[in-house]
Amino acid sequence: MSEPPTERARLRWRARGYLLLGAGTALLFLAVAARDPIPVFVALPLLIAPVAAGLNAPSAAASASLSWSDRGSGPRVELTGSLRADPSADMEDWAVELVGPPPLPGARPLTVDWRPDRFRFTLSWTAPEPTILRVTAPTISWRDPTGLVDREVRGEHPDILIERYPPELLRLGAIRLERTVPLPGETHSHQLGASGEFFGIREAGPTDPPRRINWRASARAGRRLVNEFELERSADLLILLDVRPTPLGPVLDDRLLGIARAAALGIANACLREKLRVGYATFGEFVDSVPLSMGRIQQVRIHDAILTTRRAAVEGPSERCAVALRRMYPSTITTLLISSLVGESARELVPHLRRRGFPLVVLGPSPLSLVGGLALRDAEEEALAGRLGRLDRGLRLAETWLHAPVVDWTDFWSLGGLARMLRRPNVRRGP
Amino acid sequence: MTETPLRSSRRSAGLGATTVLVTVVVLFSLVTELAWFIAVPIALVGAFASVALRRSRGAASLELAAAPSVVAVGALAGVAPATPIAALLGGGSALAILAWLAEDPTRAPGGLRRARPTILVAALAFAVAWGSALLLPPAAGAIGIAGALLVVALVLIAAVLGRPRLLQAPPGSTV
């Protein structure tokens, strides 16, 4: 019985292999043209080395398992991974190349710690603003010691997702959202959670926050007890992203959209953790939506939708968004609009949504926080230009405040303003 | 997403291989027909440009770091006289470039040791060609080239025979 065929990755010559072959060939032509033997002696090692390196390669593709994770916190991202050959093999000639994400301020070079049977690598950088980033798995290959040929190493090499959003969002779930249906006839959920109507008392678990501990009951019972609440299924949240192009241009638009996506993901996660129903929609030319639901499957749905959200090329009319949303969601749903509020059409969206009955809170990532100085020669002029920019922004926000409360998001690593706003139900409906 | 290949941080550069490269290429430049104040700078510029490219952070520059050295050695080979010493130093320069490539500071230490099979095959072919060119009369110079090709062929056959898998045919389909 013949042994099963071994999977063989293709052996590739690398750029420096082609360089040596090209140079050797050119020297051979030079020798013939000039009738000079010396270039032949130089060409000989250059032509033979790539072939010899190929023959020195392992005959079958190696396999390796990669495990890596993000160990950073806050703005600092630290990817640490280790690679183990499967079955164990000499890994001295293995090479790791990580195709990194584009903004890498403060990035330290990839550090690699070689061991005979495994190696570890670390890559760290500082995220300048809240972000969601998929980092593709590094390319792992066997490479001959002179770097002339390589062969891919097979195995499970999963991508990793970097999520960075303001820490306030981890505690956002304590908010009480607007009811979607009026109180009479309201259907109660059978699920229990941290907000809603008081349901009962149970023993505290290690993950229960101190705020939920019923201290009087705990004192009586001699052990820690926490309050449980009956969740209100009617407390829903719609997160709406305005992804239309603005006069700021594609670069700033993309950065603002990246921040908005991170905030949307953090808010959705926080609310879903508290068993609230959450919907997600984006408006570019048309509305793309994830219907209201709750639970882990909904978390995955929203997660995937946020990851695929991109800036729209064409701008749709604001009224279309309001009309489409009215068909998809109940109009009394608390709606969080994340929009930079730059441009007339972005500001028009707010009154349209209000006219259709959506209780609205606007979170506006400020482009002023991303734009540096105008590089004017005079510092005084620079300060004046900055002040005028802030005044203009304030004026625009004041106009929007006529229709809905607005959180001007200037410090991207803090969303305390939004959390406070969402905890004040009387403000939430706006003036 | 723009692609930004990130490579491992450098260890201290392989100074031994760099020194050998610079020395051999400078010696080669001294035996050419160019005046030394032209030939030596060509050699030095080529070698140090390679070192500078290797120290830069770009992936492409690291990959093509050997190019300046190869170009410098090629240019010097074009103006070298047809003498055994020039041939020896020319071939030695090419071998020094291979050794320098093996001492890559971004890779695991001991690259030169692990690259021995590759460099030795190239050195052997060069040694046969150079030895036959030196020892045989000029009229029989083609024998040297033929000898080098013979050595290469023998090495290839030995490598193939040493790995029976290379000769194995893929399993046929079953009916």
Side-chain angles (χ1 to χ4, degrees):
Chain A
M1 195 171 152
S2 63
E3 67 180 65
T6 313
E7 197 180 9
R8 299 179 69 174
R10 207 160 53 86
L11 196 67
R12 296 167 301 200
W13 272 340
R14 305 186 69 239
R16 58 172 72 166
Y18 285 114
L19 169 74
L20 295 197
L21 286 172
T25 310
L27 283 168
L28 279 184
F29 278 114
L30 176 67
V32 172
R35 294 182 174 280
D36 182 4
I38 300 299
V40 177
F41 288 104
V42 178
L44 207 54
L46 301 183
L47 288 172
I48 287 173
V51 180
L55 289 169
N56 197 26
S59 56
S63 177
S65 56
L66 167 73
S67 60
W68 62 327
S69 59
D70 172 20
R71 292 191 179 169
S73 62
R76 197 75 194 152
V77 180
E78 189 173 310
L79 296 179
T80 308
S82 70
L83 194 65
R84 193 178 285 275
D86 183 25
S88 68
D90 188 0
M91 299 172 72
E92 279 184 320
D93 284 335
W94 286 21
V96 175
E97 273 182 10
L98 190 61
V99 179
L104 289 173
R108 291 186 201 141
L110 186 71
T111 54
V112 179
D113 176 24
W114 279 278
R115 293 278 183 274
D117 60 335
R118 68 172 177 183
F119 65 73
R120 291 180 178 171
F121 59 91
T122 309
L123 172 70
S124 58
W125 75 91
T126 306
E129 58 233 0
T131 185
I132 318 168
L133 206 61
R134 186 184 291 282
V135 182
T136 51
T139 310
I140 302 156
S141 57
W142 173 90
R143 191 174 295 171
D144 94 283
T146 47
L148 301 176
V149 291
D150 68 4
R151 172 171 273 161
E152 190 190 343
V153 171
R154 302 280 169 88
E156 286 281 315
H157 306 152
D159 293 349
I160 199 166
L161 194 72
I162 308 294
E163 292 176 10
R164 288 291 186 276
Y165 39 76
E168 285 90 351
L169 295 183
L170 296 172
R171 299 188 297 275
L172 194 66
I175 58 169
R176 297 190 62 173
L177 296 171
E178 291 285 349
R179 290 167 191 279
T180 304
V181 291
L183 278 172
E186 178 182 294
T187 312
H188 283 277
S189 161
H190 292 295
Q191 302 221 11
L192 301 177
S195 64
E197 294 298 319
F198 178 76
F199 176 76
I201 291 174
R202 64 166 170 81
E203 291 237 22
T207 57
D208 286 319
R211 178 176 289 197
R212 282 181 62 189
I213 291 177
N214 188 328
W215 294 107
R216 287 174 189 273
S218 300
R220 278 198 296 273
R223 59 189 192 280
R224 291 198 313 157
L225 300 171
V226 293
N227 290 333
E228 268 193 324
F229 300 91
E230 193 176 34
L231 287 176
E232 294 166 346
R233 286 288 299 273
S234 53
D236 301 334
L237 176 70
L238 169 63
I239 301 168
L240 172 64
L241 256 67
D242 187 355
V243 297
R244 291 176 295 174
T246 72
L248 293 171
V251 176
L252 272 182
D253 275 353
D254 281 343
R255 281 185 72 185
L256 285 168
L257 180 59
I259 295 165
R261 287 166 60 204
L265 182 69
I267 293 165
N269 283 346
C271 292
L272 286 168
R273 266 199 305 273
E274 294 299 318
K275 309 275 195 306
L276 299 179
R277 286 204 309 174
V278 180
Y280 172 76
T282 60
F283 179 58
E285 188 179 4
F286 300 100
V287 171
D288 290 322
S289 67
V290 178
L292 282 172
S293 189
M294 59 195 292
R296 303 225 23 193
I297 294 176
Q298 178 71 351
Q299 192 168 7
V300 173
R301 274 192 215 116
I302 291 181
H303 194 272
D304 291 348
I306 289 175
L307 279 179
T308 53
T309 298
R310 296 283 177 273
R311 181 171 47 83
V314 180
E315 184 180 329
S318 299
E319 191 171 5
R320 180 186 290 167
C321 175
V323 171
L325 284 182
R326 186 65 189 84
R327 289 187 190 138
M328 295 167 186
Y329 301 97
S331 68
T332 47
I333 186 171
T334 303
T335 305
L336 174 69
L337 169 65
I338 307 181
S339 165
S340 61
L341 296 174
V342 175
E344 206 57 46
S345 56
R347 290 191 293 275
E348 272 176 9
L349 183 58
V350 178
H352 278 295
L353 288 169
R354 287 294 293 133
R355 260 178 242 142
R356 300 279 163 179
F358 289 99
L360 200 63
V361 175
V362 183
L363 175 63
S366 172
L368 295 177
S369 305
L370 296 181
V371 182
L374 297 174
L376 298 175
R377 272 179 296 179
D378 192 351
E380 209 170 303
E381 281 182 19
E382 180 91 38
L384 181 64
R387 215 159 61 233
L388 285 173
R390 284 193 295 278
L391 276 172
D392 182 58
R393 171 91 180 154
L395 193 65
R396 305 288 173 214
L397 295 186
E399 286 171 8
T400 311
W401 255 103
L402 293 173
H403 306 285
V406 183
V407 178
D408 187 19
W409 192 13
T410 49
D411 177 7
F412 293 133
W413 288 108
S414 168
L415 264 177
L418 177 74
R420 278 193 298 278
M421 177 81 74
L422 289 174
R423 287 191 188 115
R424 288 158 57 193
N426 54 335
V427 179
R428 226 180 295 146
R429 279 196 179 273
Chain B
M1 181 188 275
T2 54
E3 293 195 344
T4 318
L6 299 163
R7 288 163 180 275
S8 54
S9 58
R10 275 87 167 130
R11 292 179 286 108
S12 58
L15 287 177
T18 304
T19 311
V20 170
L21 175 70
V22 172
T23 308
V24 176
V25 175
V26 167
L27 285 176
F28 182 42
S29 71
L30 290 175
V31 298
T32 60
E33 288 169 347
L34 289 175
W36 70 268
F37 54 85
I38 299 174
V40 172
I42 289 174
L44 288 176
V45 166
F48 286 115
S50 289
V51 173
L53 279 177
R54 181 179 266 183
R55 283 178 176 276
S56 68
R57 291 190 63 177
S61 59
L62 187 68
E63 192 59 30
L64 298 174
S69 293
V70 171
V71 169
V73 170
L76 293 172
V79 291
T83 62
I85 294 294
L88 181 66
L89 289 171
S93 300
L95 290 171
I97 289 172
L98 291 178
W100 182 78
L101 284 175
E103 275 289 296
D104 189 341
T106 62
R107 307 280 305 275
L112 194 56
R113 172 181 50 81
R114 296 195 307 279
R116 255 188 329 222
T118 303
I119 296 175
L120 275 181
V121 169
L124 190 62
F126 166 71
V128 170
W130 183 78
S132 53
L134 180 69
L135 299 175
L136 293 174
I143 296 172
I145 304 291
L149 292 175
L150 184 64
V151 167
V152 173
L154 287 174
V155 168
L156 291 178
I157 289 168
V160 169
L161 291 177
R163 294 182 184 191
R165 278 187 181 199
L166 289 176
L167 299 176
Q168 270 180 359
S173 60
T174 54
V175 179

